[in-house]
Amino acid sequence: MDTEPTLKNIRQAAERIGSFIHHTPVLTSKSINKICGCELYFKCENLQKVGAFKIRGAANAVMKLKEERIRNGVATHSSGNHAAALALAAKWRNARACVVMPENAPPVKIAAVQGYGAEIRFCLPTLQAREAGLTQVVAKTGATFIHPYNDYDIIEGQGTAALELYNEVPTLETVMVPVGGGGLLSGTAIAIKELNPDIKVIAAEPENADDAYRSFQQKKLIPVKNPDTVADGLRTSLGDKTFAIIIKRVDEIITVTESSIIEAMRMVWERMKILIEPSSAVPLAAVLADPAKFYDLKIGIILSGGNVDLNELPF
Amino acid sequence: MDTEPTLKNIRQAAERIGSFIHHTPVLTSKSINKICGCELYFKCENLQKVGAFKIRGAANAVMKLKEERIRNGVATHSSGNHAAALALAAKWRNARACVVMPENAPPVKIAAVQGYGAEIRFCLPTLQAREAGLTQVVAKTGATFIHPYNDYDIIEGQGTAALELYNEVPTLETVMVPVGGGGLLSGTAIAIKELNPDIKVIAAEPENADDAYRSFQQKKLIPVKNPDTVADGLRTSLGDKTFAIIIKRVDEIITVTESSIIEAMRMVWERMKILIEPSSAVPLAAVLADPAKFYDLKIGIILSGGNVDLNELPF
């Protein structure tokens, strides 16, 4: 797809992937609402297949590929949830998936990607090495590269989470999502602003990886290099496509501290009894940091994923 | 109530407490089913109010108290989930709750009980001191003692979890629950055996706290003293009432090792993205230890609770 997706495209994506993914529940917590002074509706993509919303975009992109473009498989470079998602989506189409992963990727993530049947090529842990590895794979195999976020089909798929959330709680006044590369934020902003332009779309970002915040303020793309944040899903920077969508539709980007992310994550674990990864906790951290701003509002938060290494918990 | 509860009583309890408690979801996991070679249906009492099934029994017992028996409040001794459950149930009837707790109880549990508005009396960490403390409280305040499990009203309430599970998955062939004092097991066995006597009711117990197993084998009550198991909810021994119900209705009691409990707990956290406490993992540990025995069966497992101290994880 060559033009920015619309709500109509997101609705079509929802139909396309509907039978492959989970319709995840929206959970609430009285005790967290009491602490925050507002009504929070958590869309649980941590309970999604592969443990993250990423399967929505990957499934949509893979399902849309014409036969001749998938014949030689799909490829990507990723150390995270997109790799596992692409591997699973490829399996659904009986296609090969090849993932270039840094050799220092956590064993648990390597095992997940292998578990979904993807082939792994290891490389040095730099963006350069990853891109070079991917170019080699594509040249050699003829596989189609599926970018983790700077891709309209991916964005379209990610937007289906917000669509489901809105359908379940149409009276929301604000929707908050974390922002890394901007795929989830772009899809959410397109869906929500077309459904009801009065609903605020607010992104939350670790201040240690605040490229989206700075790009948004200065109205130009300002990537960061190797940011250090516990929210490992948000270390990537916006791409040109996601930036263009976000700058037009998003109301605000808020940055939060590392300690507030860990506190919010722990609060969800303890009070809601669900596992979320640090990236998922970033919007709640923003609410906790400024409860007056969100007082009495009905807020939807997309919990982006639940893949954590239990040997490396931040608490 | 002076006679053993029946399914009819459990149905009445379900109506009595229905508007106060959560109707918890039944979750499944393809990947755990694949590992086990059977179909598991997890009844998520970890997502129940106070984070455990205990609120079912406490709510039922408190709701049934006549005005003159609740006027001076309710009391119990407990370091665990029953204390929090009784505190909350008392609040619903605007009654006082007093809980005798060992002075070495985890701060997180003390805070939970206080959070629900109960008064706490600390005592030395022995059963003797707890019982003496309770006798004092009852003598001084006139409060009604609500036993955590050896009480027909409690058993009736706990049976409502199995009733909900059966209503959602009536084709179950086996139902498995952990056994500590036997309240949950008694209520489950009464409900399930009257609903369909062909469904097997199997209890699972840590081999380090195997009083129920030994009592069941030798057909007489054999309590254990201060057993050492990671499954802190299962350190109590059967009472005379729960033993009498269990010996007549339960098909089998299986014991499991400490390491298998931790492995099963971790599997649920990682694969299902939900927090369960070690006690909840005991039935799954029994399945994992002998997959041939359970091959291809449809098995309901009650995940009894999700209250864990994140500072003291066993992995």
Side-chain angles (χ1 to χ4, degrees):
Chain A
M1 177 151 160
D2 296 329
T3 53
E4 286 184 5
T6 62
L7 175 61
K8 189 178 163 202
N9 299 131
I10 292 172
R11 288 195 200 278
Q12 289 164 341
E15 284 213 5
R16 188 176 296 121
I17 65 177
S19 61
F20 292 92
I21 64 160
H22 290 314
H23 187 110
T24 54
V26 176
L27 299 182
T28 60
S29 162
K30 273 194 191 168
S31 72
I32 297 180
N33 284 349
K34 208 167 155 191
I35 292 166
C36 295
C38 54
E39 269 180 58
L40 300 174
Y41 295 84
F42 294 99
K43 174 71 173 166
C44 290
E45 291 296 296
N46 57 325
L47 305 179
Q48 186 52 268
K49 291 201 178 171
V50 313
F53 74 89
K54 292 277 184 180
I55 190 63
R56 295 176 180 272
N60 188 54
V62 168
M63 297 297 165
K64 284 180 89 173
L65 285 179
K66 294 223 170 71
E67 181 52 33
E68 67 267 23
R69 293 207 63 214
I70 198 160
R71 197 176 299 139
N72 298 321
V74 290
T76 198
H77 61 84
S78 161
S79 59
N81 294 327
H82 175 65
L86 190 67
L88 180 59
K91 212 167 104 176
W92 290 332
R93 282 200 65 181
N94 293 313
R96 289 176 55 195
C98 184
V99 177
V100 179
M101 290 184 91
E103 59 195 16
N104 65 350
V108 56
K109 297 222 162 159
I110 295 172
V113 174
Q114 280 169 332
Y116 292 117
E119 185 188 328
I120 300 180
R121 299 284 211 92
F122 291 101
C123 68
L124 291 173
T126 66
L127 183 59
Q128 265 188 328
R130 283 161 60 157
E131 288 178 345
L134 182 72
T135 306
Q136 273 189 352
V137 167
V138 169
K140 201 176 144 193
T141 64
T144 298
F145 170 43
I146 308 282
H147 193 281
Y149 52 86
N150 204 41
D151 175 311
Y152 291 139
D153 295 327
I154 292 287
I155 292 168
E156 214 174 78
Q158 318 302 30
T160 60
L163 180 61
E164 285 178 17
L165 172 60
Y166 175 86
N167 285 341
E168 194 154 337
V169 195
T171 52
L172 289 175
E173 294 159 300
T174 296
V175 172
M176 298 180 76
V177 300
V179 58
L184 179 64
L185 178 56
S186 297
T188 299
I190 292 169
I192 295 296
K193 286 299 183 182
E194 233 183 294
L195 285 161
N196 178 354
D198 293 339
I199 299 176
K200 291 239 181 314
V201 174
I202 299 180
E205 189 177 38
E207 68 180 29
N208 282 8
D210 65 346
D211 71 287
Y213 174 78
R214 288 190 291 129
S215 301
F216 191 75
Q217 296 301 321
Q218 300 185 33
K219 297 193 175 12
K220 63 174 184 189
L221 203 50
I222 308 170
V224 286
K225 259 198 178 167
N226 306 323
D228 180 23
T229 171
V230 66
D232 54 303
L234 309 180
R235 289 177 192 148
T236 43
S237 293
L238 296 183
D240 60 338
K241 293 192 171 85
T242 54
F243 175 66
I245 292 169
I246 289 164
I247 195 84
K248 279 182 288 195
R249 291 174 181 83
V250 170
D251 293 285
E252 189 177 358
I253 299 181
I254 300 173
T255 61
V256 299
T257 63
E258 293 295 297
S259 63
S260 75
I261 297 170
I262 295 167
E263 188 200 338
M265 176 177 167
R266 187 175 179 130
M267 186 179 288
V268 169
W269 285 43
E270 287 185 340
R271 310 254 169 182
M272 298 180 69
K273 312 297 180 194
I274 53 173
L275 269 75
I276 61 168
E277 57 189 64
S279 305
S280 297
V282 172
L284 177 59
V287 173
L288 286 166
D290 191 0
K293 179 186 179 89
F294 298 100
Y295 180 71
D296 224 17
L297 290 177
K298 278 188 138 177
I299 303 172
I301 288 181
I302 299 182
L303 295 175
S304 49
N307 294 323
V308 282
D309 184 345
L310 294 179
N311 295 324
E312 303 283 349
L313 292 180
F315 38 71
Chain B
M1 176 150 161
D2 296 328
T3 52
E4 286 185 4
T6 62
L7 176 61
K8 188 178 164 201
N9 300 132
I10 292 172
R11 288 195 200 277
Q12 289 165 341
E15 284 212 5
R16 189 176 295 122
I17 66 178
S19 61
F20 292 93
I21 64 160
H22 291 312
H23 186 109
T24 53
V26 176
L27 298 183
T28 60
S29 162
K30 273 194 191 167
S31 72
I32 297 181
N33 285 349
K34 207 169 154 188
I35 292 166
C36 296
C38 54
E39 270 180 58
L40 300 174
Y41 295 84
F42 295 99
K43 174 72 173 164
C44 290
E45 291 296 297
N46 57 326
L47 305 179
Q48 187 51 270
K49 290 200 177 171
V50 312
F53 74 91
K54 292 277 184 180
I55 190 63
R56 295 176 180 271
N60 189 53
V62 168
M63 297 297 164
K64 283 180 90 172
L65 286 178
K66 295 224 170 69
E67 181 52 33
E68 66 268 22
R69 293 208 61 215
I70 198 159
R71 197 176 298 139
N72 297 322
V74 290
T76 199
H77 60 84
S78 162
S79 59
N81 293 328
H82 174 65
L86 190 67
L88 181 58
K91 212 167 105 176
W92 289 333
R93 282 200 66 182
N94 294 314
R96 288 176 55 195
C98 184
V99 176
V100 178
M101 290 184 90
E103 58 194 16
N104 64 350
V108 57
K109 297 222 160 155
I110 296 171
V113 174
Q114 280 170 332
Y116 292 116
E119 185 188 329
I120 299 180
R121 300 283 210 94
F122 290 102
C123 69
L124 291 173
T126 68
L127 183 59
Q128 265 188 329
R130 282 161 61 155
E131 288 178 344
L134 182 73
T135 306
Q136 273 188 353
V137 166
V138 169
K140 202 177 144 193
T141 65
T144 297
F145 170 43
I146 308 282
H147 193 281
Y149 52 86
N150 204 42
D151 176 309
Y152 291 138
D153 295 326
I154 291 286
I155 291 168
E156 213 174 79
Q158 318 303 29
T160 61
L163 180 61
E164 285 178 17
L165 172 60
Y166 175 86
N167 285 341
E168 194 155 335
V169 195
T171 52
L172 288 175
E173 294 159 300
T174 297
V175 171
M176 299 180 76
V177 301
V179 58
L184 179 64
L185 178 56
S186 297
T188 300
I190 292 169
I192 294 297
K193 287 299 183 182
E194 231 183 296
L195 285 161
N196 179 354
D198 293 339
I199 299 176
K200 292 239 181 315
V201 174
I202 300 180
E205 188 177 39
E207 69 181 29
N208 282 8
D210 65 347
D211 71 287
Y213 174 78
R214 288 190 290 128
S215 301
F216 190 75
Q217 296 301 322
Q218 301 184 32
K219 298 193 172 17
K220 64 175 184 187
L221 203 50
I222 308 171
V224 286
K225 258 198 178 169
N226 306 323
D228 180 23
T229 170
V230 66
D232 55 302
L234 308 180
R235 289 178 192 148
T236 44
S237 294
L238 296 184
D240 60 337
K241 293 191 171 86
T242 54
F243 175 67
I245 293 169
I246 289 165
I247 196 82
K248 279 182 289 196
R249 292 174 180 82
V250 169
D251 292 285
E252 188 177 357
I253 298 181
I254 300 173
T255 60
V256 299
T257 63
E258 294 295 297
S259 63
S260 75
I261 297 170
I262 295 167
E263 188 200 338
M265 176 177 166
R266 187 176 179 130
M267 186 179 288
V268 169
W269 284 44
E270 287 184 339
R271 309 257 169 179
M272 298 180 68
K273 313 297 180 192
I274 54 174
L275 269 76
I276 60 169
E277 56 189 67
S279 305
S280 297
V282 172
L284 177 59
V287 174
L288 286 166
D290 191 359
K293 181 186 178 89
F294 299 100
Y295 180 71
D296 224 18
L297 290 176
K298 279 188 138 178
I299 304 171
I301 289 181
I302 300 182
L303 296 175
S304 49
N307 293 324
V308 281
D309 184 344
L310 294 179
N311 295 324
E312 302 283 349
L313 293 181
F315 37 72

